[in-house]
């Protein structure tokens, strides 16, 4: 492909195509990209028109890459890696004004377990004691947004639950967190949950849906009614507190509200499940970020 043609193809279009491949379909890619399926389909059609080739087959038979599509995906991986390396080099150059300084950009999901926050505070305090010129940027993002920031080199280190693992990033286990089903004080189950079963819980109450990709293999609950969507745990908590919905929350957060008499954990043994969170990062980290990550891993 000549350079002029490449310039005409928006990088967002290439990332949409990569998400479609990695999520195995346009609909599945919607949660990662947080745009409508029509927009994603438009990106795919635009890319196929620009390249003059069919990249994938989609329809009732399911999603399948063509040979051309597989080759273009591999080329996209290389191109994305090159763009990220370029951005990484620019970011590193900006830090050269101080040999002992540096800028570490963290991305976290919201409402992490207490032990994680304890370790994070300890590591931040030590970092500033050892290197007063260091600069931390800490952002709270949904898992899909976090992956996008890491892939585009807008963040150095992420930690959270991920439903997909893009090949350009490295993932290492961080910790395991238990998810529990909760209702608020205004919900009828708060006062009477005697005889409650999993089937009753699934079929007879409105639930809150996670807005990001969730691995259904680790959660056996299949609610009949999903009438609210959230991308952050605190937003989920507020909907539960409103009294109409039930939904999953991290156990630490649920117990905090339960201790205030505002929530109740339902079927803690039958309905709860464990989620493994991961560190996510690029291999070509600058020294300060790599050092911070290694020491955080040892603390956990």
């Amino acid at each position: 492909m000549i350079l002029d043609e490449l310039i005409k193809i928006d990088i967002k279009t290439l990332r949409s195509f990569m998400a479609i491949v990695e999520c195995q379909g346009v609909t599945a890619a919607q949660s990662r990209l947080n745009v409508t399926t029509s927009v994603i389909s438009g990106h795919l059609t635009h890319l196929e028109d620009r390249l003059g080739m069919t990249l994938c087959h989609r329809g009732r038979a399911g999603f399948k890459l063509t040979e051309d599509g597989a080759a273009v995906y591999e080329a996209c991986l290389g191109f994305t890696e090159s763009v990220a390396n370029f951005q990484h080099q620019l970011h590193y150059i900006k830090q050269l004004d101080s040999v002992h300084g540096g800028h570490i950009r963290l991305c976290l999901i919201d409402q992490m377990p207490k032990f994680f926050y304890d370790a994070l505070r300890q590591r931040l305090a030590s970092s500033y004691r050892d290197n007063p010129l260091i600069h931390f940027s800490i952002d709270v993002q949904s898992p899909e947004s976090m992956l996008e920031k890491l892939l585009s080199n807008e963040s150095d280190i992420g930690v959270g639950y991920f439903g997909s693992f893009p090949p350009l990033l490295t993932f290492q286990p961080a910790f395991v967190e238990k998810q529990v089903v909760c209702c608020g004080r205004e919900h009828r189950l708060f006062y009477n949950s005697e005889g409650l079963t999993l089937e009753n819980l699934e079929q007879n109450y409105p639930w809150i849906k996670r807005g990001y990709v969730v691995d259904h293999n680790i959660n056996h609950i299949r609610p009949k009614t999903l009438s609210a969507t959230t991308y952050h745990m605190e937003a989920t908590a507020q909907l539960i507190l409103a009294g109409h919905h039930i939904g999953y929350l991290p156990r630490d957060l649920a117990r905090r509200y339960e201790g205030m008499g505002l929530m109740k954990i339902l079927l803690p043994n039958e309905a709860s499940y464990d989620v493994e969170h991961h560190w996510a990062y690029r291999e070509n980290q600058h020294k300060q970020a790599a050092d911070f990550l290694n020491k955080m891993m040892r603390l956990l």
Side-chain angles (χ1 to χ4, degrees), residues 190-229:
F190 187 88
Y191 301 98
N192 183 17
S193 59
E194 186 176 352
L196 183 65
T197 65
L198 279 175
E199 183 179 3
N200 188 13
L201 203 62
E202 287 178 317
Q203 298 298 316
N204 298 324
Y205 301 97
W207 282 71
I208 302 163
K209 178 186 176 182
R210 295 277 168 86
Y212 46 83
V213 177
V214 176
D215 184 354
H216 294 292
N217 294 322
I218 63 174
N219 176 15
H220 53 282
I221 294 288
R222 300 292 181 269
K224 178 181 178 181
T225 304
L226 292 164
S227 58
T229 302

Side-chain angles (χ1 to χ4, degrees), residues 50-65:
R50 282 292 184 190
L51 297 177
M53 60 182 71
T54 300
L55 299 178
C56 60
H57 300 298
R58 61 263 195 204
R60 293 182 180 178
F63 174 85
K64 184 177 180 180
L65 270 182

Side-chain angles (χ1 to χ4, degrees), residues 29-85:
Q30 183 178 10
S31 295
R32 180 192 290 188
L33 298 172
N34 196 25
V35 295
T36 63
T37 53
S38 61
V39 171
I40 300 172
S41 294
H43 286 170
L44 180 57
T45 300
H46 174 71
L47 183 59
E48 288 181 325
D49 289 345
R50 282 292 184 190
L51 297 177
M53 60 182 71
T54 300
L55 299 178
C56 60
H57 300 298
R58 61 263 195 204
R60 293 182 180 178
F63 174 85
K64 184 177 180 180
L65 270 182
T66 64
E67 289 187 11
D68 286 338
V72 170
Y73 175 70
E74 290 299 321
C76 285
L77 287 176
F79 175 68
T80 304
E81 179 73 19
S82 297
V83 170
N85 286 339

Side-chain angles (χ1 to χ4, degrees), residues 128-183:
Y128 278 109
R129 279 197 302 270
D130 297 340
N131 183 1
L133 297 176
I134 200 166
H135 184 99
F136 280 91
S137 298
I138 303 178
D139 197 4
V140 176
Q141 294 285 340
S142 68
E144 273 70 33
S145 296
M146 191 186 303
L147 291 179
E148 287 298 314
K149 282 184 170 289
L150 290 164
L151 287 167
S152 62
N153 201 43
E154 296 175 68
S155 183
D156 298 309
I157 302 167
V159 59
Y161 165 76
F162 303 106
S164 61
F165 298 86
L168 291 178
L169 298 176
T170 298
F171 296 86
Q172 295 288 343
F175 59 86
V176 175
E177 180 181 62
K178 188 168 289 293
Q179 298 278 318
V180 294
V181 181
C182 306
C183 70

Side-chain angles (χ1 to χ4, degrees), residues 178-181 218 220 248 266-274:
K178 188 168 289 293
Q179 298 278 318
V180 294
V181 181
I218 63 174
H220 53 282
Y248 275 103
L266 304 170
L267 301 179
N269 296 323
E270 301 95 321
S272 63
Y273 66 96
D274 291 331

